[in-house]
Structures are given as C-alpha cells and as structure tokens.
C-alpha cells in the first residue's frame, strides 16, 4: 500500500502467521482489500504485474518476467500468491532488509512501528546503529 503498516494490523498478521496461517492468507487479504481497490482500482492481470514490480521491487519487469507472471495469473494463480512470489524473492529480501530490520526492532523494542521520518533516517543504517538509537529513546527507557 506504499505506507508503513499500522501496529494493529502488523500485530494481527504476525500473530496469525505464528499460529501457522499460510503467508498466502494475508497476501490474499491485501490483494482483495478495499484499500487496495481504492488505491489502484480494477487492474488487468498485466497491469497488476507491472504494479507489483514497481511497488515491491522498485523496477520495471523485463518482457519475459511480465509475460511469465501475467501468464500465471491468466492460468488462475491468485494475485495474493503472485505477491508472495515477489515478497519472498531474494531480490525483495535484499532490497528491504534495512526496512524489515527497522520495523522489527521498533516493534519489539518500542512497541510501535517507525514513523516516516524514522524510516527515512534509519532504514539504511547498520543494525547496530539502529539498536543504539532505540536504546537511547525515552520510550525504551520507560518500557524497561
């Protein structure tokens, strides 16, 4: 959705995944949500694939990549499963490692998600620097 997760939604889906719910379940929920439809409208399969490449991987697909994923959708693979293919790819995990670490650390240590300003300031920093920053926060002191 091109935004930070809200804490309630993040906590809900983390809880569901810890209970053994497949990663496809939240992905399907996101793809079918009103927020998705309000933001993107009704997209053709080809337009959906281009959107996922742009939003998840930050790039345009090659013609063969676009053809492959559009073909998968045309064969009946759900949009949620396609998004999982992108989110769990090595390319995406490498691209989002800093953000994932920041969200995880902030959620666990400060019991919230990072703000937009915190994301801009800390996403690309080494993990040790992020931890040191969190440890220096009054909110962290108040928790411990």
């Amino acid at each position: 959705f091109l935004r930070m997760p809200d804490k309630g939604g993040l906590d809900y889906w983390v809880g569901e995944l810890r209970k053994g719910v497949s990663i496809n379940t939240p992905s399907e929920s996101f793809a079918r949500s009103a927020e998705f439809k309000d933001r993107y409208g009704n997209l053709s399969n080809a337009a959906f694939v281009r959107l996922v490449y742009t939003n998840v991987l930050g790039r345009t697909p090659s013609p063969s990549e676009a053809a492959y994923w559009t073909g998968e959708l045309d064969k009946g693979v759900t949009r949620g499963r396609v998004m999982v293919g992108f989110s769990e790819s090595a390319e995406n995990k490498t691209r989002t490692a800093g953000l994932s670490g920041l969200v995880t650390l902030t959620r666990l240590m400060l019991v919230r998600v990072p703000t937009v300003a915190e994301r801009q300031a800390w996403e690309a920093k080494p993990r040790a620097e992020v931890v040191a920053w969190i440890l220096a926060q009054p909110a962290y002191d108040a928790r411990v």
Side-chain angles (χ1 to χ4, degrees), residues 45-85:
N45 286 342
F48 178 80
V49 167
R50 285 190 304 275
L51 176 75
V52 174
Y53 265 94
T54 299
N55 287 0
V56 177
L57 301 180
R59 65 178 179 85
T60 303
S62 70
S64 63
E65 291 169 327
Y68 172 78
W69 287 110
T70 301
E72 291 297 294
L73 290 167
D74 290 344
K75 287 189 280 188
V77 174
T78 65
R79 289 180 175 196
R81 287 190 186 266
V82 167
M83 288 192 307
V84 167

Side-chain angles (χ1 to χ4, degrees), residues 101-103 105-107 109-110 112-123 125-141:
L102 176 63
V103 170
L105 289 169
T106 306
R107 182 178 166 270
M109 296 176 76
L110 297 176
R112 63 176 177 79
V113 295
T115 66
V116 172
E118 290 168 344
R119 178 184 181 182
Q120 291 170 344
W122 293 101
E123 179 177 356
K125 302 282 186 185
R127 189 177 199 114
E129 286 184 39
V130 174
V131 170
W133 166 74
I134 289 173
L135 290 172
Q137 297 302 300
Y140 183 76
D141 284 342

